[in-house]
């Protein structure tokens, strides 16, 4: 049996009830890295949804995962139920028109869109317009 590590951080509503979980890649039990690359995202998806089972990891709550532009155009996302997955866009990546088309396609397919650690300025407006959830850098 293979050991799988996954960080799970609760996201609370205004009544302090957990309504979602941010799933984070972990290489080991003591790893606290916050990798944002495509491989880390793929590991989170595979570990949480395929190996462990989404019900076991988040129950009926939504799962927030960091995504990179390469993952947005990957067939891997199509393996997962869109209504339970929220794609966290990280503002430190370049989101050109082609990537924004992918974000629009995924949003239309039912995936939640979140922007994490956002500094609001003219260049981030296209992300804000597409997001269901926004966490500004000042909120941390």
């Amino acid at each position: 049996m293979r050991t799988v590590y996954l960080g799970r951080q609760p996201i609370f509503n205004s009544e302090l009830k957990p309504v979602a979980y941010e799933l984070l890649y972990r290489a080991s039990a003591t790893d606290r890295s916050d990798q944002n690359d495509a491989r880390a995202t793929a590991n989170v998806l595979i570990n949480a949804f395929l190996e462990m089972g989404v019900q076991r990891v988040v129950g009926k709550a939504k799962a927030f995962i960091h995504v990179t532009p390469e993952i947005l155009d990957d067939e891997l996302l199509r393996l997962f139920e869109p209504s339970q997955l929220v794609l966290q866009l990280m503002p430190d990546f370049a989101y050109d028109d082609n990537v924004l088309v992918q974000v629009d396609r995924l949003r239309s397919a039912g995936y939640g869109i979140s922007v994490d650690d956002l500094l609001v300025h003219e260049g981030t407006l296209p992300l804000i317009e597409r997001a269901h959830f926004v966490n500004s850098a000042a909120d941390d």
Side-chain angles (χ1 to χ4, degrees):
M1 178 183 225
R2 185 172 100 102
T3 302
V4 174
Y5 299 98
L6 180 72
R8 185 180 83 152
Q9 180 175 319
I11 299 171
F12 299 98
N13 66 11
S14 61
E15 288 87 38
L16 298 178
K17 294 185 180 177
V19 294
Y21 294 93
E22 181 177 14
L23 303 181
L24 303 164
Y25 170 77
R26 297 293 184 252
S28 69
T30 58
D31 178 30
R32 300 289 180 247
S33 68
D34 192 17
Q35 293 183 18
N36 291 324
D37 66 9
R39 186 180 350 211
T41 297
N43 278 324
V44 167
L45 287 169
I46 290 165
N47 290 339
F49 287 81
L50 299 180
E51 290 198 28
M52 298 170 85
V54 68
Q55 290 299 316
R56 196 167 157 206
V57 177
V58 298
K60 293 182 181 186
K62 292 190 180 288
F64 282 61
I65 59 157
H66 291 181
V67 294
T68 59
E70 342 25 88
I71 290 290
L72 295 174
D73 194 28
D74 194 285
E75 295 293 318
L76 181 63
L77 290 176
R78 291 180 182 86
L79 298 174
F80 306 99
E81 175 57 40
S83 65
Q84 199 162 23
L85 193 59
V86 178
L87 309 174
Q88 286 185 287
L89 306 175
M90 306 306 292
D92 50 341
F93 290 101
Y95 293 95
D96 61 21
D97 289 342
N98 292 330
V99 174
L100 293 174
V101 166
Q102 292 296 338
V103 171
D104 291 339
R105 180 184 57 77
L106 291 164
R107 181 182 161 100
S108 294
Y111 293 92
I113 304 297
S114 171
V115 182
D116 202 15
D117 297 330
L118 181 71
L119 293 173
V120 179
H121 55 78
E122 187 176 319
T124 60
L125 291 179
L127 296 178
I128 295 170
E129 292 169 354
R130 290 164 170 80
H132 297 102
F133 308 93
V134 176
N135 176 32
S136 71
D139 290 344
D140 291 338

